[in-house]
Amino acid sequence: MLLALCAMIMSDKQLIAQEKCATDQILNQLLQERPEYIPLHQHLLEHRKSQIDALTDVTEGPRLKTTAPNIKVPVVFHVILSQIRINQLGGNNGILQRAMDQIAVLNEDYNRGNADSVNIPAPFKPRYANVNISFALAHRKPDGSTTSGVEIKTTTLTGFSATSNYGSDPKADSTGGLYAWNADNYLNIWVVDISEGGILGYTIPPSFQNFGFSKGETGVVLDYGAFGRRGGTIQYFTPGTNDKGRTATHEVGHFFEAQHIFGENSLCPGAGDIDDGFADTPPQAKATYNSSFLNGIPTFPYIDSCSNTSPGLMWMNYMDYVDDASMYMFTQQQAAFMYTQVAPGGESQTLGMHPELFDWPTDVSNIESEDGFNLFPNPTTGYIHLSFTNATGLKQISVMNMIGQRVYSINADNSPNDNYDINLTGLSKGVYMVQCTFATGTITKKIVLQ
């Protein structure tokens, strides 16, 4: 059955252009070309189902305890674009800002911090989950030297294919890309111009190593037009409404082995498709797009041939295909399963074992430290890093000019972060005050912007 499915998918060359995510297409192409992997693929699906079943109690639900420690993952972005594309993103500074914004989106979406969760329909609100995984830019390279967490390579290539060579070309110097940093320690995310129209991203999860992919090929690839979150009307994004950073949320979900909620094909569970394996995501025949709704505006309830009664489809799930503004949630079972991937014994456990990668190396000059609060570099040309030995009670980080006007502010309530990257490149040169407000008081430091 799986081989027939692969042949059906690959015989329609236009189908991939209709998909937002090419992860399934890469696997299907591989299974078509290497049919000896089909029994292994079926075995892995069955093993995955048994893992999900082991996490879920019929009466008690997922067994992920709310007291489970938050696990922080170091991220590096490998940006490989033509100079024209780099300019579209605002140059090197614009790319770094997008990386910081993308990290913020991931932290919100994986920790129940997304403000648009208020839009979750009432029947699905009890299923809304905290994955309890956080993310931060790495500040140490594998050799121990300093990094912003972003490396940028200018290329003369017009783009990278999501399906040629199974989408691996961005991941090697020899094919015009950049090699992964140690994939045991870093979540590698490549940002490129994806050649196929409509494809916004794809992922090689760790489980694909069973099909011959190397460890260095695991990670996420994003199209540059779906990278980051819109912060202004003049910023470039792929035409459409995929400008809130949810492509990365979706693809990182794949990295942690969550599947599309509509399964591997357009059939219902029990009729030729196992769906995503999670009982708290309703059965669904095919992907949902905003274009599925009248005037492109999602409505609830929305039903299909699999979920033909209320509450219908969970189209607002991050693992469906609606536009960014219509995605709001992971479910309890999705969260429990993804968390096990980085928890002790999980296939990506080592990603949470290197807190030293979040800190700037000790050879970084001009570090000011007091009361467990580090700020550097100082002076700065625009970007500063704040590090807290204990961020408990941190409420807000603000930057004030010398006449006391607030020129930058972020809320930090209930955030698991103890490292913050702040972009001040839009401010005039001069002296500013960085003010960190805690439940017990305020610490203020002077910063010089050159």
Side-chain angles (χ1 to χ4, degrees):
M1 179 194 72
L2 286 174
L3 182 57
L5 167 63
C6 297
M8 175 187 71
I9 289 178
M10 296 310 297
S11 66
D12 185 355
K13 299 297 184 182
Q14 298 303 311
L15 181 58
I16 192 165
Q18 300 172 16
E19 301 287 342
K20 293 174 63 175
C21 167
T23 301
D24 285 350
Q25 283 68 29
I26 291 171
L27 177 60
N28 289 332
Q29 179 183 357
L30 176 69
L31 294 178
Q32 182 194 33
E33 297 174 358
R34 299 288 303 274
E36 65 271 23
Y37 281 134
I38 292 176
L40 175 59
H41 175 54
Q42 185 63 46
H43 171 75
L44 291 174
L45 290 177
E46 293 170 356
H47 176 65
R48 180 178 183 276
K49 184 179 184 303
S50 67
Q51 288 179 305
I52 295 172
D53 290 344
L55 281 171
T56 306
D57 185 278
V58 175
T59 58
E60 297 180 4
R63 295 178 183 170
L64 177 62
K65 297 180 180 179
T66 56
T67 56
N70 186 277
I71 296 176
K72 183 183 289 187
V73 173
V75 179
V76 56
F77 291 96
H78 310 283
V79 181
I80 312 146
L81 294 169
S82 68
Q83 189 60 55
I84 292 175
R85 300 292 188 245
I86 290 173
N87 293 343
Q88 279 184 291
L89 297 186
N92 289 5
N93 284 342
I95 288 172
L96 182 54
Q97 180 60 56
R98 288 204 185 210
M100 293 161 59
D101 291 343
Q102 187 65 78
I103 292 294
V105 172
L106 290 172
N107 282 324
E108 292 166 9
D109 292 349
Y110 280 78
N111 291 277
R112 278 181 58 126
N114 56 306
D116 52 7
S117 64
V118 297
N119 298 318
I120 298 172
F124 292 145
K125 282 186 182 295
R127 308 184 197 184
Y128 174 48
N130 182 347
V131 184
N132 218 14
I133 301 173
S134 61
F135 307 83
L137 290 171
H139 290 307
R140 293 196 188 199
K141 296 180 181 179
D143 64 6
S145 60
T146 184
T147 176
S148 65
V150 180
E151 62 169 350
I152 301 173
K153 177 178 181 178
T154 305
T155 181
T156 57
L157 298 174
T158 56
F160 291 90
S161 171
T163 54
S164 176
N165 196 26
Y166 306 121
S168 293
D169 288 347
K171 305 171 183 178
D173 291 351
S174 59
T175 49
L178 288 166
Y179 285 114
W181 293 1
N182 185 345
D184 284 323
N185 300 349
Y186 303 86
L187 171 57
N188 290 272
I189 300 180
W190 288 266
V191 179
V192 303
D193 185 358
I194 296 179
S195 301
E196 290 86 356
I199 296 296
L200 300 181
Y202 58 93
T203 300
I204 302 301
S207 63
F208 278 24
Q209 293 175 81
N210 290 288
F211 306 119
F213 288 93
S214 68
K215 184 75 172 181
E217 292 174 284
T218 61
V220 168
V221 178
L222 299 177
D223 185 76
Y224 80 108
F227 168 48
R229 171 164 56 188
R230 186 180 296 281
T233 57
I234 63 173
Q235 285 183 304
Y236 173 79
F237 282 89
T238 300
T241 53
N242 299 290
D243 58 357
K244 294 185 178 295
R246 262 60 189 272
T247 297
T249 300
H250 178 104
E251 296 301 338
V252 170
H254 281 315
F255 182 83
F256 294 135
E257 305 291 353
Q259 294 184 344
H260 293 138
I261 62 171
F262 47 85
E264 292 190 335
N265 58 54
S266 59
L267 300 174
C268 296
D273 191 355
I274 65 166
D275 212 24
D276 65 352
F278 300 116
D280 59 356
T281 62
Q284 183 169 326
K286 57 186 178 181
T288 313
Y289 297 85
N290 276 56
S291 59
S292 305
F293 304 97
L294 182 64
N295 300 321
I297 301 174
T299 57
F300 177 84
Y302 182 72
I303 62 175
D304 75 355
S305 58
C306 297
S307 290
N308 54 14
T309 59
S310 183
L313 302 185
M314 190 183 282
W315 46 260
M316 70 294 305
N317 193 286
Y318 293 126
M319 301 312 293
D320 206 343
Y321 276 2
V322 290
D323 293 347
D324 281 11
S326 302
M327 293 180 169
Y328 319 132
M329 66 180 294
F330 286 118
T331 68
Q332 297 290 332
Q333 291 184 21
Q334 285 176 314
F337 184 69
M338 288 191 287
Y339 186 86
T340 64
Q341 307 307 308
V342 292
E347 63 185 8
S348 295
Q349 172 187 353
T350 55
L351 288 180
M353 298 173 62
H354 296 278
E356 74 280 0
L357 298 178
F358 304 117
D359 297 324
W360 294 88
T362 54
D363 62 355
V364 176
S365 60
N366 302 321
I367 298 179
E368 295 185 9
S369 178
E370 66 176 69
D371 300 325
F373 166 29
N374 297 331
L375 181 155
F376 50 92
N378 188 15
T380 178
T381 57
Y383 291 95
I384 59 174
H385 179 80
L386 277 66
S387 176
F388 299 86
T389 55
N390 185 356
T392 301
L394 179 64
K395 298 294 185 182
Q396 187 177 61
I397 300 171
S398 300
V399 179
M400 323 290 287
N401 62 22
M402 293 308 292
I403 62 173
Q405 294 173 320
R406 183 180 286 112
V407 294
Y408 177 94
S409 180
I410 56 172
N411 290 323
D413 283 335
N414 302 316
S415 170
N417 292 342
D418 50 23
N419 291 273
Y420 293 83
D421 294 289
I422 295 177
N423 178 10
L424 303 179
T425 55
L427 301 180
S428 302
K429 295 179 181 179
V431 178
Y432 295 85
M433 305 303 293
V434 178
Q435 184 180 84
C436 295
T437 303
F438 295 82
T440 55
T442 299
I443 300 175
T444 302
K445 293 188 179 183
K446 183 168 63 177
I447 187 82
V448 177
L449 182 58
Q450 294 180 332

